[in-house]
């Protein structure tokens, strides 16, 4: 018998739960579902619980309703699909999918290094991880 919540342990399910909570003061789950174009008003509950996965054709509308970067949401939706080669295939077709925030980080890195294309050393990796308490 298949599990009732096959996508419960995905990054996307956790992300949706967090983001919907953040938006709660301004909009309800129902409003988000309607804005994203879901016919089933319970769809957000199904997605958060992991009982359903985000359909790729809904990513852009859902990202807009959640007020998040569609590339970030798309990357998580692709990972949620469960195909072993999904990341390899999307990287081959699109290159690395980079969110708007990641682009800003990249520009800051370029500026900080005077556009010298620095290699990622063990020391710089440790310093970066330190920024995120990892």
């Amino acid at each position: 018998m298949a599990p009732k919540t096959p996508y419960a342990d995905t990054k996307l399910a956790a992300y949706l739960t967090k983001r919907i909570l953040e938006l709660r003061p301004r909009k309800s789950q129902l409003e988000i579902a309607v804005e994203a174009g879901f016919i089933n008003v319970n769809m957000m509950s199904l997605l958060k619980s992991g009982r359903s996965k985000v359909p790729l054709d809904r990513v852009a509308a859902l990202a807009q309703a959640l007020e998040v970067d569609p590339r970030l949401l798309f990357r998580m939706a692709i990972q949620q699909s469960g195909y072993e080669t999904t990341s390899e295939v999307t990287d081959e077709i699109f290159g690395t999918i980079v969110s708007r925030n990641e682009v800003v980080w990249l520009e800051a890195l370029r500026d900080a290094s005077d556009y010298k294309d620095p290699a990622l050393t063990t020391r710089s990796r440790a310093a970066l991880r330190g920024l995120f308490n990892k």
Side-chain angles (χ1 to χ4, degrees):
M1 187 168 152
K4 292 183 180 183
T5 56
Y7 310 105
D9 294 330
T10 63
K11 287 180 185 178
L12 185 51
Y15 182 80
L16 290 174
T17 300
K18 180 178 180 264
R19 186 63 187 142
I20 290 168
L21 186 61
E22 292 169 347
L23 291 172
R24 186 176 284 165
R26 295 187 291 119
K27 58 170 84 169
S28 69
Q29 245 182 229
L30 173 61
E31 290 171 314
I32 293 168
V34 170
E35 286 179 33
F38 290 118
I39 296 170
N40 179 352
V41 294
N42 294 323
M43 192 60 176
M44 297 313 300
S45 293
L46 296 172
L47 295 172
K48 285 184 350 182
S49 69
R51 289 185 300 242
S52 186
K53 67 180 178 178
V54 174
L56 294 180
D57 66 342
R58 294 275 104 224
V59 168
L62 181 58
Q64 185 171 355
L66 292 170
E67 302 172 15
V68 299
D69 188 329
R71 291 169 284 207
L72 176 67
L73 205 63
F74 178 76
R75 191 169 54 214
M76 286 187 279
I78 286 292
Q79 290 170 345
Q80 192 181 49
S81 70
Y83 297 113
E84 291 179 20
T85 59
T86 301
S87 293
E88 294 167 15
V89 171
T90 56
D91 285 354
E92 184 178 331
I93 295 169
F94 300 110
T96 301
I97 299 170
V98 181
S99 72
R100 288 183 201 123
N101 287 335
E102 289 169 329
V103 169
V104 173
W105 275 84
L106 180 58
E107 286 300 320
L109 175 65
R110 288 176 177 165
D111 183 52
S113 69
D114 289 328
Y115 294 81
K116 293 181 182 164
D117 193 26
L120 183 62
T121 63
T122 302
R123 183 176 170 200
S124 58
R125 182 183 300 273
L128 187 57
R129 286 186 161 290
L131 291 173
F132 297 99
N133 299 319
K134 292 206 173 221

